[in-house]
PDB file of all heavy atoms in Angstrom:
ATOM      1  N   GLU A 165      18.718-161.999-100.190  1.00 96.00           N
ATOM      2  CA  GLU A 165      17.676-160.974-100.088  1.00 96.00           C
ATOM      3  C   GLU A 165      18.242-159.574-100.318  1.00 96.00           C
ATOM      4  O   GLU A 165      17.585-158.728-100.929  1.00 96.00           O
ATOM      5  CB  GLU A 165      16.986-161.071 -98.735  1.00 96.00           C
ATOM      6  CG  GLU A 165      16.120-162.331 -98.604  1.00 96.00           C
ATOM      7  CD  GLU A 165      15.418-162.431 -97.264  1.00 96.00           C
ATOM      8  OE1 GLU A 165      15.930-161.861 -96.279  1.00 96.00           O
ATOM      9  OE2 GLU A 165      14.356-163.079 -97.205  1.00 96.00           O
ATOM     10  N   LEU A 166      19.469-159.312 -99.857  1.00 97.00           N
ATOM     11  CA  LEU A 166      20.097-158.024-100.107  1.00 97.00           C
ATOM     12  C   LEU A 166      20.332-157.804-101.604  1.00 97.00           C
ATOM     13  O   LEU A 166      20.345-156.661-102.070  1.00 97.00           O
ATOM     14  CB  LEU A 166      21.421-157.918 -99.347  1.00 97.00           C
ATOM     15  CG  LEU A 166      21.316-157.701 -97.836  1.00 97.00           C
ATOM     16  CD1 LEU A 166      22.689-157.788 -97.190  1.00 97.00           C
ATOM     17  CD2 LEU A 166      20.674-156.350 -97.525  1.00 97.00           C
ATOM     18  N   ALA A 167      20.500-158.895-102.335  1.00 97.00           N
ATOM     19  CA  ALA A 167      20.663-158.814-103.789  1.00 97.00           C
ATOM     20  C   ALA A 167      19.319-158.722-104.507  1.00 97.00           C
ATOM     21  O   ALA A 167      19.267-158.744-105.743  1.00 97.00           O
ATOM     22  CB  ALA A 167      21.443-160.031-104.298  1.00 97.00           C
ATOM     23  N   ARG A 168      18.225-158.634-103.723  1.00 97.00           N
ATOM     24  CA  ARG A 168      16.861-158.490-104.254  1.00 97.00           C
ATOM     25  C   ARG A 168      16.442-159.677-105.118  1.00 97.00           C
ATOM     26  O   ARG A 168      15.722-159.524-106.107  1.00 97.00           O
ATOM     27  CB  ARG A 168      16.722-157.175-105.042  1.00 97.00           C
ATOM     28  CG  ARG A 168      16.993-155.938-104.208  1.00 97.00           C
ATOM     29  CD  ARG A 168      16.832-154.665-105.045  1.00 97.00           C
ATOM     30  NE  ARG A 168      17.131-153.476-104.275  1.00 97.00           N
ATOM     31  CZ  ARG A 168      16.258-152.835-103.488  1.00 97.00           C
ATOM     32  NH1 ARG A 168      15.020-153.294-103.398  1.00 97.00           N
ATOM     33  NH2 ARG A 168      16.611-151.750-102.831  1.00 97.00           N
ATOM     34  N   LEU A 169      16.904-160.855-104.733  1.00 97.00           N
ATOM     35  CA  LEU A 169      16.526-162.069-105.449  1.00 97.00           C
ATOM     36  C   LEU A 169      15.232-162.644-104.875  1.00 97.00           C
ATOM     37  O   LEU A 169      14.913-162.450-103.702  1.00 97.00           O
ATOM     38  CB  LEU A 169      17.649-163.101-105.370  1.00 97.00           C
ATOM     39  CG  LEU A 169      18.902-162.710-106.166  1.00 97.00           C
ATOM     40  CD1 LEU A 169      20.094-163.543-105.747  1.00 97.00           C
ATOM     41  CD2 LEU A 169      18.645-162.862-107.667  1.00 97.00           C
ATOM     42  N   ASP A 170      14.499-163.344-105.721  1.00 97.00           N
ATOM     43  CA  ASP A 170      13.217-163.939-105.343  1.00 97.00           C
ATOM     44  C   ASP A 170      13.469-165.333-104.767  1.00 97.00           C
ATOM     45  O   ASP A 170      13.462-166.331-105.492  1.00 97.00           O
ATOM     46  CB  ASP A 170      12.306-164.014-106.576  1.00 97.00           C
ATOM     47  CG  ASP A 170      10.971-164.689-106.283  1.00 97.00           C
ATOM     48  OD1 ASP A 170      10.627-164.854-105.090  1.00 97.00           O
ATOM     49  OD2 ASP A 170      10.275-165.055-107.258  1.00 97.00           O
ATOM     50  N   VAL A 171      13.697-165.391-103.467  1.00 97.00           N
ATOM     51  CA  VAL A 171      13.924-166.679-102.800  1.00 97.00           C
ATOM     52  C   VAL A 171      12.558-167.278-102.473  1.00 97.00           C
ATOM     53  O   VAL A 171      11.801-166.724-101.683  1.00 97.00           O
ATOM     54  CB  VAL A 171      14.760-166.512-101.517  1.00 97.00           C
ATOM     55  CG1 VAL A 171      15.058-167.878-100.902  1.00 97.00           C
ATOM     56  CG2 VAL A 171      16.058-165.763-101.815  1.00 97.00           C
ATOM     57  N   ARG A 172      12.264-168.423-103.068  1.00 97.00           N
ATOM     58  CA  ARG A 172      10.936-169.017-102.919  1.00 97.00           C
ATOM     59  C   ARG A 172      10.802-169.871-101.665  1.00 97.00           C
ATOM     60  O   ARG A 172       9.729-169.950-101.065  1.00 97.00           O
ATOM     61  CB  ARG A 172      10.619-169.881-104.153  1.00 97.00           C
ATOM     62  CG  ARG A 172      10.523-169.097-105.454  1.00 97.00           C
ATOM     63  CD  ARG A 172       9.253-168.285-105.513  1.00 97.00           C
ATOM     64  NE  ARG A 172       9.170-167.462-106.705  1.00 97.00           N
ATOM     65  CZ  ARG A 172       8.672-167.878-107.868  1.00 97.00           C
ATOM     66  NH1 ARG A 172       8.216-169.111-107.994  1.00 97.00           N
ATOM     67  NH2 ARG A 172       8.643-167.067-108.906  1.00 97.00           N
ATOM     68  N   ALA A 173      11.876-170.549-101.272  1.00 98.00           N
ATOM     69  CA  ALA A 173      11.786-171.467-100.129  1.00 98.00           C
ATOM     70  C   ALA A 173      13.174-171.911 -99.706  1.00 98.00           C
ATOM     71  O   ALA A 173      14.159-171.738-100.440  1.00 98.00           O
ATOM     72  CB  ALA A 173      10.941-172.693-100.493  1.00 98.00           C
ATOM     73  N   ILE A 174      13.225-172.485 -98.504  1.00 98.00           N
ATOM     74  CA  ILE A 174      14.428-173.145 -97.998  1.00 98.00           C
ATOM     75  C   ILE A 174      14.126-174.630 -97.889  1.00 98.00           C
ATOM     76  O   ILE A 174      13.108-175.020 -97.304  1.00 98.00           O
ATOM     77  CB  ILE A 174      14.829-172.606 -96.613  1.00 98.00           C
ATOM     78  CG1 ILE A 174      15.170-171.118 -96.681  1.00 98.00           C
ATOM     79  CG2 ILE A 174      16.010-173.398 -96.040  1.00 98.00           C
ATOM     80  CD1 ILE A 174      15.375-170.481 -95.318  1.00 98.00           C
ATOM     81  N   ALA A 175      14.977-175.463 -98.452  1.00 97.00           N
ATOM     82  CA  ALA A 175      14.862-176.916 -98.316  1.00 97.00           C
ATOM     83  C   ALA A 175      15.972-177.400 -97.407  1.00 97.00           C
ATOM     84  O   ALA A 175      17.160-177.169 -97.684  1.00 97.00           O
ATOM     85  CB  ALA A 175      14.961-177.602 -99.677  1.00 97.00           C
ATOM     86  N   VAL A 176      15.605-178.042 -96.306  1.00 97.00           N
ATOM     87  CA  VAL A 176      16.595-178.563 -95.361  1.00 97.00           C
ATOM     88  C   VAL A 176      16.801-180.046 -95.649  1.00 97.00           C
ATOM     89  O   VAL A 176      15.937-180.877 -95.367  1.00 97.00           O
ATOM     90  CB  VAL A 176      16.149-178.367 -93.906  1.00 97.00           C
ATOM     91  CG1 VAL A 176      17.242-178.850 -92.949  1.00 97.00           C
ATOM     92  CG2 VAL A 176      15.812-176.902 -93.625  1.00 97.00           C
TER      93      VAL A 176
END
Side-chain angles (χ1 to χ4, degrees):
E165 290 181 334
L166 286 173
R168 300 180 182 275
L169 291 164
D170 177 14
V171 184
R172 296 287 176 87
I174 298 172
V176 183

